[in-house]
Amino acid sequence: FQLMQNVHLRQSLNLASRIEGQFRRIPRRSRGVKQAGYLVLWKTSMPAVLIEIGFLSNAAEERFLASEAGQQQVAQGIFSAIQEYRAAQAAGE
């Protein structure tokens, strides 16, 4: 199981990096890709990421996240990153 988690960790970091790359196109402030032992990701048997999109306590981020355009940009970025990741996996990367 530990070996499987290590494989999925590399894949998860790959996916997270692709999501990060897509978010840079939105121009949002990035806090980078980080690894931590969050309970919701613990013992997953597949690639998994936890995405922090913004802070509702920040008025500008709240407005962006509440707007339809902001939600569309974020959703499109996540979708595009998953498509990139799947294409790379299919190509054997």
Side-chain angles (χ1 to χ4, degrees), residues 1-14 35 41-48 85:
F1 189 75
Q2 185 66 36
L3 179 60
M4 207 165 59
Q5 280 187 312
N6 287 340
V7 169
H8 295 305
L9 175 62
R10 286 190 296 275
Q11 292 172 340
S12 297
L13 290 171
N14 182 330
Q35 180 183 341
L41 300 176
W42 187 56
K43 289 194 176 184
T44 57
S45 58
M46 66 190 76
Y85 171 80

Side-chain angles (χ1 to χ4, degrees), residues 3-77:
L3 179 60
M4 207 165 59
Q5 280 187 312
N6 287 340
V7 169
H8 295 305
L9 175 62
R10 286 190 296 275
Q11 292 172 340
S12 297
L13 290 171
N14 182 330
L15 176 57
S17 294
R18 291 174 189 278
I19 293 169
E20 177 74 10
Q22 287 292 325
F23 282 179
R24 285 190 196 122
R25 296 177 183 181
I26 297 174
R28 305 300 302 159
R29 181 170 175 244
S30 170
R31 296 180 66 193
V33 173
K34 298 179 180 152
Q35 180 183 341
Y38 293 111
L39 190 58
V40 295
L41 300 176
W42 187 56
K43 289 194 176 184
T44 57
S45 58
M46 66 190 76
V49 297
L50 181 64
I51 303 170
E52 186 175 85
I53 297 169
F55 296 95
L56 297 178
S57 58
N58 178 303
E61 288 185 2
E62 180 185 13
R63 282 190 300 278
F64 175 77
L65 294 171
S67 73
E68 190 168 327
Q71 292 171 18
Q72 182 64 36
Q73 287 177 16
V74 169
Q76 184 62 51

